[in-house]
Amino acid sequence: MEKKKVIIDCDPGIDDSLALMLALASPELEVLGITTVCGNVPADLGARNALKVLQFMDRLDIPVYQGAEVPLAREYVSAQDTHGEDGIGDSGLPDVNGVPVRAGAVDYILDTLKKEKGLCLLAIGPMTNVALALQREPEVFKNLGVLVSMGGSFKSHGNCSPVAEYNYWCDPDAAAYVYENLGKSKACGLTEGEPPIHMVGLDVTRKVVLTPNILEYMKRLNPEIGGFVEKITRFYFDFHWEQEGIIGCVINDPLAVAYLCRPELCGGFDAYTAVETKGISIGQSVVDAENFWKKAPNSRVLTGVNTEEFMTMLLYRLCGGEESEIRKMMAYSCRGGDGL
Ligand code: RIB
Ligand code: CA
């Protein structure tokens, strides 16, 4: 199986960290590099956090490039209330010494696109870096295989406003620009005729919840990995109880990784999507599901997910063990066995 070459543009971030772990444990992917963007935390802190995850996964060979420090136009608003001051649950993980964080995330994205036809971009933070790259050299994006974007929402409520999801709310101008212009760059799409953007929005990510039961199972399967996940998610569990009244935490970003590896995990439809950049619904992804605007689809909007299969994949790839046993446990957990 030919690996998909991918750059992960992220804002680590608790769920971004889990996403990086899953990407590094997935045989379908070759992670060429990581770029960070202002989002959950400032881009420089995100880069330092990415190095902490790479060190834990013993993959400091992967380069990290720091990107945009502010959104295209809006004032920057972090999500440290959700992810902790340090961005990884105030877990106090020490900085990685002696490994450089490179500058120039946008240059790195463009340079890599010029070299790698079919390159996949996995954007799991605000799309500021992607938009800047597209603005600077749109013609280079003809080499893009697919942009998988964790962000937006079709029918699920927002997490930053009644209608807006954080990544698109934090930098709505970047999201709007990418949705409006990526298709014009003749991005080749994952397969012929597919839209270049695949939107892994809250409609599907809210269905993948890391519960105390599943976390406990991870710790039994692999104390080191489970212990690390517990350390960085404790803050996130508390936030979800206080803000959404759920026991567990929605792990948005790892689903985007899993979807890139195995698109059959999610179902959806192709539509033209635009992002609002002003007013009370700023950051809302407006999905023209009924084709009112008669515009060619620029996105695949995902609305369904095989939660059991995703959770089995996440635990098996991160923790090891017997896949069939994990599948049974996830079937039990995901069908309400642990109060889901
Ligand atoms: O709305 C959830 C998204 O915003 C996730 O990617 C999370 O890490 C934050 O970036
Ligand atoms: Ca993120």
Side-chain angles (χ1 to χ4, degrees):
M1 160 186 57
E2 192 178 343
K3 288 180 180 280
K4 290 174 184 152
K5 294 186 175 182
V6 60
I7 289 176
I8 302 177
D9 189 69
C10 55
D11 57 338
I14 295 169
D15 58 334
D16 300 72
S17 300
L18 299 178
L20 293 177
M21 293 168 71
L22 179 60
L24 296 173
S26 292
E28 300 88 346
L29 304 180
E30 181 184 349
V31 180
L32 298 181
I34 292 168
T35 52
T36 66
V37 65
C38 58
N40 289 325
V41 292
D44 60 334
L45 177 51
R48 297 197 332 255
N49 287 341
L51 285 178
K52 294 170 189 174
V53 176
L54 290 177
Q55 183 172 58
F56 178 73
M57 298 296 283
D58 196 19
R59 289 302 310 272
L60 283 170
D61 57 294
I62 294 175
V64 176
Y65 294 83
Q66 182 183 325
E69 295 178 350
V70 290
L72 292 189
R74 263 197 113 179
E75 186 183 340
Y76 169 44
V77 178
S78 82
Q80 285 164 291
D81 61 334
T82 309
H83 293 262
E85 272 310 298
D86 73 356
I88 40 178
D90 288 343
S91 52
L93 293 177
D95 272 328
V96 177
N97 298 319
V99 178
V101 167
R102 299 165 169 81
V106 174
D107 293 331
Y108 173 68
I109 291 170
L110 290 169
D111 294 344
T112 310
L113 270 171
K114 289 168 188 168
K115 286 186 287 198
E116 301 288 352
K117 182 157 179 54
L119 177 72
C120 300
L121 266 180
L122 190 55
I124 54 177
M127 289 211 273
T128 316
N129 290 338
V130 179
L132 289 169
L134 186 57
Q135 286 173 348
R136 198 183 300 174
E137 295 189 65
E139 68 287 351
V140 168
F141 279 79
K142 69 180 181 309
N143 274 351
L144 180 72
V146 68
L147 168 64
V148 173
S149 164
M150 191 280 129
S153 141
F154 171 47
K155 291 199 167 173
S156 184
H157 61 276
N159 60 10
C160 277
S161 81
V163 294
E165 174 281 326
Y166 175 76
N167 286 334
Y168 294 3
W169 177 88
C170 178
D171 193 344
D173 303 277
Y177 186 86
V178 171
Y179 274 88
E180 176 65 28
N181 294 285
L182 187 57
K184 297 172 187 168
S185 68
K186 307 274 183 292
C188 45
L190 205 54
T191 56
E192 192 57 36
E194 275 199 343
I197 304 173
H198 292 217
M199 186 176 107
V200 182
L202 296 176
D203 307 90
V204 285
T205 65
R206 278 205 166 104
K207 294 171 182 167
V208 290
V209 179
L210 178 65
T211 65
N213 228 29
I214 293 174
L215 178 58
E216 186 60 32
Y217 188 43
M218 290 181 83
K219 288 161 59 181
R220 303 279 177 188
L221 282 173
N222 186 317
E224 186 191 12
I225 294 283
F228 183 83
V229 172
E230 181 174 54
K231 182 182 283 194
I232 68 172
T233 58
R234 170 53 50 209
F235 191 99
Y236 211 33
F237 271 77
D238 295 344
F239 175 84
H240 279 77
W241 170 245
E242 284 144 27
Q243 295 298 319
E244 305 218 4
I246 62 171
I247 297 290
C249 57
V250 174
I251 47 175
N252 309 282
D253 294 338
L255 181 58
V257 171
Y259 173 73
L260 178 60
C261 295
R262 297 173 56 192
E264 74 277 7
L265 278 175
C266 294
F269 60 91
D270 293 354
Y272 185 83
T273 297
V275 178
E276 180 57 81
T277 57
K278 57 192 179 303
I280 60 167
S281 54
I282 188 170
Q284 180 178 14
S285 48
V286 183
V287 177
D288 185 12
E290 307 304 324
N291 197 20
F292 285 102
W293 296 328
K294 302 290 183 278
K295 288 189 172 185
N298 59 357
S299 57
R300 175 153 297 171
V301 178
L302 301 171
T303 54
V305 53
N306 183 336
T307 303
E308 288 173 33
E309 193 56 34
F310 164 72
M311 281 296 178
T312 300
M313 177 180 167
L314 179 74
L315 266 68
Y316 178 64
R317 291 187 179 192
L318 289 191
C319 303
E322 266 304 310
E323 189 170 5
S324 57
E325 288 305 308
I326 295 173
R327 192 179 304 284
K328 267 193 284 187
M329 184 67 172
M330 290 306 100
Y332 172 75
S333 291
C334 297
R335 290 178 199 162
D338 59 357
L340 254 184

